Amino acid sequence: MASPGHNLVVLLLFFVSFPCSNSKLSVDYYSKTCPQFASIMEQIVSDKQIASPTTAAGVLRLFFHDCMVEGCDGSLLITSTSFNRAERDAEIDQSIPGDAFDLVTRAKTALELQCPGVVSCSDILATAARNLVTMVGGPYYRVRLGRKDGLVSNASLVQGNIAQPTMPLSDIISLFDSKGFSVQEMVALVGAHTIGFSHCKEFSHRLFNFSKTSKTDPAYYPKYAEGLMKLCANYTKDPTMSAYNDVMTPGKFDNMYYKNLQRGLGLLATDQALSVDRRTKPFVDLYAANETAFFEAFAHSMEKVSIYKIKKGKIGRGEAQV
């Protein structure tokens, strides 16, 4: 039986030959060609999130990782072949939950039945990410549509385009800056860690033999560190062991992530660094104190991410970009 990922790439490649009559991005891009787009997406996303509550965080991560490598073109959805190792098999992408890919497959299948060869996978992913953020309590923001799917996906392109959990903060700031995002936008986007989880291997260096003078990272709140040590005690034997990014309200999109950073409850080293670095601390403090300010900044930044190096015109790599 074919896997969901295999089915998705077959769909994507099969419909590459369909031209699109309109190359301008707009929120009502499918109003004439697929008027059921919004209602189908709403139903598919709602059903999936209710059945699998971790879907929201997974799709948000899938969307962001896709956009940061060669733009928002759905290339992270393409599966590897015997002659090409695709993006989704890069080490940092291997931990993206299968539920995220499954949602896109379900939505694409439903939309193909109603509007064959019309809706791109990259538009599905961008819309699903927005709908899920809203569904779990986060802000609504507009998603302009009309993206075209890329046909090239190579794992070698991932390195250096996505922040790693052990990267120095200065490197992360430089990475975002190279893509046109300010420090404030970066801090707002990292607020997506208010939902989801991270595997123990991504923060184990903070828990075991941290330094000659401290077994754990002293930046951790002591009781929190104790709990994480117990949780991750056997992580080398079971690599799937993980912890919520936001220990207080893990399933709700809110500003608790920033409040946690102020209390020594930042799970990843890169998270905790935001609360002490002079370049990022003012924004952490702002968003911790004012959820409305966080929501507005996050919505603005996500709109900006959603059109990063997108492809338009005919479906496929190498077309005009905005």
Side-chain angles (χ1 to χ4, degrees):
M1 182 176 178
S3 67
H6 174 77
N7 292 335
L8 179 61
V9 73
V10 170
L11 281 168
L12 191 155
L13 293 175
F14 180 77
F15 293 108
V16 68
S17 62
F18 287 85
C20 225
S21 59
N22 182 6
S23 62
K24 185 177 180 180
L25 294 178
S26 67
V27 294
D28 58 353
Y29 185 84
Y30 296 114
S31 61
K32 294 181 179 179
T33 57
C34 191
Q36 308 97 323
F37 172 75
S39 59
I40 290 174
M41 285 300 302
E42 184 176 350
Q43 187 64 56
I44 295 292
V45 166
S46 179
D47 289 347
K48 182 63 180 179
Q49 176 64 18
I50 291 172
S52 303
T54 59
T55 299
V59 169
L60 195 53
R61 187 178 182 194
L62 174 61
F63 168 71
F64 188 77
H65 282 210
D66 177 57
C67 290
M68 290 297 100
V69 181
E70 300 293 292
C72 305
D73 63 356
S75 56
L76 184 48
L77 302 168
I78 298 175
T79 54
S80 295
T81 65
S82 58
F83 54 86
N84 179 64
R85 184 166 170 259
E87 289 175 36
R88 66 190 296 171
D89 286 323
E91 184 178 358
I92 196 169
D93 289 331
Q94 290 177 8
S95 59
I96 297 176
D99 282 326
F101 294 97
D102 180 63
L103 184 147
V104 179
T105 302
R106 289 171 184 247
K108 180 64 172 173
T109 301
L111 287 163
E112 286 303 321
L113 292 174
Q114 291 293 325
C115 322
V118 173
V119 182
S120 66
C121 290
S122 44
D123 274 349
I124 290 172
L125 182 54
T127 303
R130 188 274 312 282
N131 288 6
L132 285 162
V133 165
T134 305
M135 188 174 177
V136 296
Y140 178 90
Y141 55 91
R142 68 173 188 159
V143 174
R144 286 187 284 165
L145 303 168
R147 296 165 191 75
K148 300 301 169 245
D149 295 326
L151 299 178
V152 173
S153 181
N154 195 308
S156 65
L157 298 174
V158 176
Q159 186 68 28
N161 279 303
I162 297 176
Q164 302 280 346
T166 56
M167 283 178 69
L169 184 56
S170 291
D171 290 353
I172 296 176
I173 290 174
S174 295
L175 174 60
F176 275 81
D177 179 67
S178 71
K179 298 179 183 297
F181 294 91
S182 67
V183 172
Q184 182 168 7
E185 289 169 335
M186 182 270 289
V187 175
L189 288 168
V190 176
H193 286 180
T194 186
I195 56 175
F197 59 86
S198 295
H199 290 95
C200 290
K201 68 176 183 179
E202 296 177 316
F203 54 90
S204 60
H205 64 287
R206 301 185 68 196
L207 298 174
F208 308 105
N209 302 314
F210 179 74
S211 69
K212 293 181 179 180
T213 58
S214 178
K215 185 174 183 180
T216 62
D217 186 344
Y220 271 138
Y221 179 70
K223 292 291 184 181
Y224 183 49
E226 289 178 18
L228 290 175
M229 287 177 67
K230 292 178 181 178
L231 176 67
C232 298
N234 297 313
Y235 82 96
T236 55
K237 297 179 180 179
D238 182 3
T240 65
M241 298 186 74
S242 57
Y244 288 121
N245 293 324
D246 175 356
V247 69
M248 305 301 288
T249 56
K252 182 181 179 183
F253 198 101
D254 54 20
N255 67 335
M256 186 60 71
Y257 164 78
Y258 299 104
K259 295 179 180 180
N260 289 341
L261 298 186
Q262 296 174 325
R263 302 166 182 168
L265 302 177
L267 184 64
L268 304 175
T270 48
D271 290 333
Q272 198 60 54
L274 296 176
S275 67
V276 295
D277 189 281
R278 62 178 178 80
R279 296 165 293 182
T280 53
K281 186 180 185 299
F283 302 119
V284 170
D285 293 342
L286 170 63
Y287 300 149
N290 189 333
E291 186 173 78
T292 299
F294 165 48
F295 278 14
E296 290 176 350
F298 183 81
H300 164 79
S301 299
M302 284 295 284
E303 281 193 48
K304 188 172 177 178
V305 169
S306 72
I307 58 172
Y308 177 68
K309 293 181 67 176
I310 63 168
K311 298 171 178 63
K312 63 180 184 177
K314 290 184 178 181
I315 297 177
R317 182 176 169 85
E319 300 300 322
Q321 299 178 351
V322 290

